[in-house]
Amino acid sequence: MILLLAAFVLRPRFPRLRHDGRVLRRADAPCLYALVDEVAAALGTRGVDTVVVDAQFNASVADFGLRGRRTLHLGLGLWEVLDQQERVALLGHELGHYANGDPRRARLIGTALYSLHTWLYLLTPVRAVHLRRTALEMVTDLLMDVPRWAVYGVTLLLERLTLRDTQRAEYLADRAAVRVGSAAAAAGLMDRLLIGESIAAALRTESVRAQTRIGGVEPRAAAAGLWERIAERAATVSEREYERLRRVGVLRGHSVDSTHPPTHLRRSLIEAGEPGSAAVVVGPETAAGIAAELAPARSAVAHAVIRDLAG
């Protein structure tokens, strides 16, 4: 029984589909899925099985389930400030991770990292700040220290071993963005990444204004035009301001997170490559169809932003 219990605890952990956003199936958004499939085909890979829409200034792809199904996470904070070709470049970058064989998205390494992070979460004690630990809790924490530090060490080692390949995968994904969206669109996407903190602050401000009724703003009314106001705010950023942000990014080493290369190096590589034409072009009808399909998700996520981001 002890061995069976240990085998159950140490089994490979497969990621589950996140439900912290609005899940769109193919029947819900045929135009969006058609665009994703077109981008995937241009890159020599397959599309995704689900799309999850949330408020983050980010986008990502991930596998979930035993069969390795694919999900695309679209953060409206980022999606809404991009033009049509920059959105194609964004999809190209994310699907490019599959086309180029990103090691951390590979079946073996990806599952191993997810399992290690899950074990680390389970082995980390939860301490109440306002309560003193009992003798039993102190002994339990002490006993858990050995397996927790062992798991942490293996996790750190695996992440360090794959870090260089992961950053290389980001550059290759940027090349995929150029192939499907054009170099100009990919470079524009890099510039939009520089205003992420400003957009996140704007979303929090919208939530605070609505929750505190500043200026007589009602939460429901604030949610109604949220994404339009965010897009307008992004449109007011001048080229001169982008140039300043690029210079600051060089000095401070701006990057999306610790696994991504510096944004200015990614942009430099895009500009140094062949300009080329876009393999996928979004027409007015497709753009209108995708906007209509995302409308319910945009409304639901906007209400969640107004309700939750004020803290």
Side-chain angles (χ1 to χ4, degrees):
M1 290 298 295
I2 293 175
L3 292 175
L4 288 174
L5 180 61
F8 176 76
V9 172
L10 298 176
R11 74 190 187 279
R13 308 282 179 143
F14 296 98
R16 297 181 179 180
L17 178 63
R18 287 168 42 191
H19 288 85
D20 52 353
R22 186 69 177 262
V23 179
L24 299 179
R25 308 289 181 181
R26 282 191 174 269
D28 302 321
C31 290
L32 176 60
Y33 274 90
L35 176 60
V36 172
D37 290 341
E38 186 178 359
V39 171
L43 297 175
T45 186
R46 66 178 179 87
V48 298
D49 301 290
T50 58
V51 175
V52 179
V53 180
D54 56 30
Q56 297 181 14
F57 191 87
N58 194 15
S60 62
V61 289
D63 291 341
F64 69 94
L66 183 61
R67 293 184 295 171
R69 303 176 69 192
R70 294 179 179 179
T71 182
L72 168 67
H73 291 90
L74 280 182
L76 290 178
L78 177 57
W79 182 264
E80 293 294 332
V81 304
L82 303 177
D83 65 28
Q84 297 301 333
Q85 284 308 117
E86 289 169 351
R87 291 173 179 176
V88 173
L90 175 66
L91 296 176
H93 174 91
E94 298 305 331
L95 293 169
H97 283 295
Y98 288 118
N100 297 316
D102 187 343
R104 291 193 183 180
R105 287 173 175 78
R107 188 68 165 169
L108 179 61
I109 297 178
T111 302
L113 280 171
Y114 183 82
S115 298
L116 288 168
H117 283 295
T118 302
W119 297 341
L120 192 60
Y121 171 78
L122 294 175
L123 292 170
T124 301
V126 179
R127 297 188 179 94
V129 178
H130 60 285
L131 296 177
R132 295 184 61 182
R133 289 190 297 167
T134 65
L136 179 60
E137 288 175 333
M138 294 176 66
V139 172
T140 302
D141 290 350
L142 190 61
L143 292 174
M144 297 293 278
D145 276 345
V146 174
R148 181 170 69 252
W149 282 106
V151 170
Y152 176 75
V154 175
T155 305
L156 186 62
L157 176 62
L158 187 56
E159 288 184 340
R160 289 293 178 88
L161 289 173
T162 58
L163 179 60
R164 289 301 183 100
D165 274 343
T166 299
Q167 294 198 332
R168 176 176 177 272
E170 292 297 334
Y171 288 120
L172 292 176
D174 289 337
R175 290 180 60 183
V178 172
R179 285 171 55 193
V180 296
S182 78
L189 173 60
M190 293 299 106
D191 285 343
R192 303 299 175 267
L193 296 178
L194 300 175
I195 63 172
E197 292 184 2
S198 175
I199 297 301
L203 289 172
R204 287 193 297 272
T205 300
E206 291 279 351
S207 179
V208 170
R209 289 181 67 248
Q211 294 296 334
T212 56
R213 304 297 202 278
I214 295 177
V217 177
E218 291 292 332
R220 184 168 297 181
L226 176 65
W227 302 116
E228 288 77 8
R229 293 193 297 275
I230 293 300
E232 290 173 1
R233 180 185 181 90
T236 61
V237 180
S238 64
E239 179 56 34
R240 182 175 180 179
E241 175 63 11
Y242 276 121
E243 180 58 34
R244 186 190 70 83
L245 290 172
R246 286 193 286 267
R247 291 198 301 268
V248 172
V250 172
L251 294 174
R252 297 182 179 178
H254 175 277
S255 61
V256 175
D257 56 37
S258 60
T259 65
H260 285 67
T263 305
H264 72 277
L265 295 181
R266 297 171 61 188
R267 195 179 195 280
S268 297
L269 188 63
I270 290 171
E271 292 180 329
E274 294 293 331
S277 58
V280 178
V281 177
V282 177
E285 293 183 3
T286 300
I290 292 174
E293 293 167 355
L294 288 177
R298 292 172 80 249
S299 177
V301 174
H303 281 89
V305 167
I306 296 300
R307 183 185 66 239
D308 300 332
L309 282 194

